[in-house]
Each structure stands twice: as structure tokens, then as C-alpha cells.
Amino acid sequence: MNFKNISISSSKSIRTIYISRQKQLNALNAQTLEELSMCLGQFLEDKDVRGLIITGEGKKSFVAGADIKEFAKYSSNEGLKLSEKGHKTVFDVIYNYPKPIIAAINGYCLGGGLELALACHIRIGSSNALLGLPEVSLGLIPGYGGTQRLPALIGRGRALEMILNGKPITAEQAYEWGLLNHLVDQEDLLDKAQKLAESFSNNSLLAQSHAIAAVNRGLIDPSKGQEEEIKRFGACFQTSDFKEGVGAFLEKRRPDFNNL
Ligand code: DAK
């Protein structure tokens, strides 16, 4: 895969996607989103891939938002269409991805960058991370899921404080509020993300994909979450991974699960 604005590294069954526009602090332009979408599609099909890490290239920035120079001249209709497209092709794809995705946040994580991290299943931040939704300072509101996913994660009051004042919070504050699952020194960030991703890969990916879908369903529509869990719990019993997992336990050996 050859991309202009993203690059990829591989270790074991984990792929790390770097947003690579360092001169623009890795701001997301349309081409970067297009490339991310293609890359997510390819890794979805690739049976050797068990999990993804998304990070920013360099030490200074994860993603400093959507590319302001690009969206500066959008009309209301263009804004609406692009927001819809971004949700459908990148942000919702990540949120619902059936393989675990970890955001490794290495500096500025602003606007669309924080929304990218929020779409991921898990967030790890380095101590220099700054996380914020500065959209209102530009006369906008978050357009890639920030108004929905941030309150779901840290509560309405804290989310509205961040959205209304537009100021970034420190990594320590984000960790305390539950926006970051883990907080590490910058030099340990990718190692921590890799180890966490690898730890997931010992388990059944099929079961993990059902768990992600059940959790998401309940967050999107709380009245349907329990129903989704029951349906998916039942579906697990017909899978070869269930037979393998239980069989391995009874035979006192490590399970060898299928890939999706
Ligand atoms: N877009 C484009 N370029 C950016 C950028 C951004 N978001 N952030 C930084 N850059 C560029 C700077 O312009 C500068 O480039 P040159 O001017 O040198 O060519 C280069 O990166 C280095 O930046 P600075 O010189 O400013 O670096 P500093 O260390 O002094 O400051 C900073 C770092 C992160 C505090 C500062 O760069 C900054 O405030 N950046 C903007 C942060 C921000 O407001 N981000 C946007 C949030 S709003 C949409 C959906 C979603 C969105 C929009 C539309 N549609 C569906 C249409 C989302 C909007 C947002 O994300």
C-alpha cells in the first residue's frame, strides 16, 4: 500500500497507521481521510491483521484537527456533505471496526484529531498530549462525532466545558476524566500501545467483534443494547471459536482461535 499522507508499520499481527503530514502537525485533509478509509478497508480483509494502532508522525502532534486551510471556504452544504461522508467512510468505520483499534496520542490532539481518537476503541496518551475541541473558536461545532462521543466517555458536564471553552486539557486531566485509558512517557507510547494490542490478540477476534458491536449498540440506542447483547451472546455458541475456547480450557491448553 502506497499512500502520500499516511504510512504503516507492522509488528506481529498489529499494524500501526501513522498520520504523516508533520509540517501541518498532521492535520486531516480530504486526501488523508480518503487514504485512511482505504487502509481500514484493506486491513479489515487481511486475516493476518488482529488489531490497529493509529498515531501521528513525529513527537509534536497526533492530529491538530481538520485542515483549516482546506475547509476555510466550504459552504454550508459542502460542510454537511463532507461531515456525512467523513462519518460514513472513516469515523463510524473506526468506531464499529470489528478488530480493536487503539489511538496512541503523541502531542496535539485537537478538533478532528480528538474526534479520530474518540472513534477508536481505546486511547493511550503520552505526557505531552493536549486534547481539545477548539471548533467554537473558529465559529464551528465538532463535526466528526465529538458532540456525541465525548459526553458518552467523560459525561455531559465535562464534555460541554471542553466544547464551550474550546481550550485543550492536559494528558493528566484527560486521564483523570477517563478520556485516556493509559498515560505514559512519550518514549513508551508506541510500546505500550503495541503490548496492549498484542494482549488482545490472544483472544477470540470473533467474540471481540460481537462485544464491540454490543457495547456500541447500547451507547447509540440504550433501549436496544441488552437485546443486542443477548442476540450476540447466543450467536457465539454456534462458532468454532466457542468450541475451541471451551475445548482448550477443558484440555488445559492454549486456545488457537480463527481470524475473521
Ligand atoms: N490545519 C491546517 N494547518 C495547521 C493546522 C490545522 N488544523 N494546525 C497547524 N497547522 C499548520 C500551521 O498552519 C503551520 O503551518 P505554516 O503556517 O507554517 O505553513 C504548521 O502547522 C505549524 O503550526 P504552528 O506554527 O501554528 O505551530 P505551533 O506549535 O506554534 O502551534 C498549535 C501549534 C496546534 C497550537 C497551532 O498550530 C494551532 O492552534 N493549530 C490549529 C488547531 C485547531 O484549531 N485545529 C482545528 C480544530 S477545528 C469538517 C468536519 C470536522 C472539522 C471541520 C470540518 N467538515 C466535515 C467539513 C473539524 C474541525 C476542526 O478540527
Side-chain angles (χ1 to χ4, degrees):
M1 283 186 273
N2 271 330
F3 297 115
K4 186 167 169 250
N5 294 334
I6 62 176
S7 59
I8 289 148
S9 73
S10 302
S11 178
K12 301 188 180 166
S13 59
I14 310 304
R15 302 292 172 270
T16 300
I17 302 171
Y18 295 82
I19 311 292
S20 301
R21 297 184 78 220
Q22 265 198 80
K23 280 192 186 148
Q24 296 83 10
L25 301 183
N26 301 325
L28 296 173
N29 62 358
Q31 176 159 359
T32 310
L33 290 174
E34 195 81 28
E35 291 180 4
L36 255 176
S37 166
M38 283 166 64
C39 176
L40 290 164
Q42 292 186 23
F43 288 145
L44 186 63
E45 301 298 320
D46 189 337
K47 288 191 184 307
D48 293 336
V49 176
R50 291 288 319 251
L52 302 179
I53 296 166
I54 299 180
T55 194
E57 198 159 274
K59 294 198 165 164
K60 192 171 169 184
S61 183
F62 174 72
V63 169
D67 190 315
I68 299 174
K69 289 166 196 162
E70 192 177 68
F71 71 67
K73 296 206 177 86
Y74 286 164
S75 67
S76 169
N77 202 33
E78 277 174 311
L80 184 143
K81 287 219 164 92
L82 284 158
S83 176
E84 264 174 7
K85 186 177 173 210
H87 274 287
K88 235 183 247 166
T89 63
V90 177
F91 293 80
D92 287 353
V93 172
I94 293 174
Y95 190 75
N96 294 312
Y97 211 66
K99 308 182 186 192
I101 305 189
I102 298 171
I105 303 169
N106 54 314
Y108 291 117
C109 178
L110 303 174
L114 178 52
E115 292 175 302
L116 181 67
L118 286 167
C120 293
H121 304 129
I122 284 162
R123 284 147 295 281
I124 305 176
S126 59
S127 42
N128 69 330
L130 282 172
L131 304 94
L133 290 174
E135 282 85 346
V136 293
S137 72
L138 299 165
L140 282 174
I141 67 165
Y144 285 139
T147 65
Q148 305 304 303
R149 290 183 186 136
L150 188 61
L153 202 58
I154 65 172
R156 179 170 176 261
R158 286 167 172 169
L160 274 173
E161 186 176 329
M162 286 180 71
I163 292 168
L164 299 182
N165 71 22
K167 289 188 187 136
I169 60 170
T170 61
E172 286 79 12
Q173 180 78 86
Y175 178 65
E176 202 183 297
W177 283 1
L179 181 44
L180 295 175
N181 296 58
H182 301 279
L183 173 58
V184 294
D185 289 337
Q186 182 147 45
E187 60 271 25
D188 300 329
L189 181 66
L190 289 179
D191 193 46
K192 172 75 185 173
Q194 176 73 25
K195 288 209 170 90
L196 189 61
E198 281 174 21
S199 76
F200 297 148
S201 67
N202 298 325
N203 295 321
S204 160
L205 187 53
L206 185 57
Q208 288 170 337
S209 73
H210 282 305
I212 290 168
V215 168
N216 287 355
R217 185 69 200 269
L219 285 170
I220 290 160
D221 183 352
S223 69
K224 294 283 166 29
Q226 200 68 268
E227 202 178 293
E228 189 75 30
E229 182 185 275
I230 293 166
K231 191 180 84 191
R232 289 179 178 275
F233 178 74
C236 288
F237 284 83
Q238 312 162 8
T239 66
S240 56
D241 274 7
F242 169 68
K243 291 187 182 68
E244 173 61 15
V246 172
F249 175 79
L250 296 175
E251 291 158 26
K252 299 190 187 300
R253 61 174 173 81
R254 283 168 68 92
D256 180 16
F257 292 117
N258 290 315
N259 287 336
L260 284 183

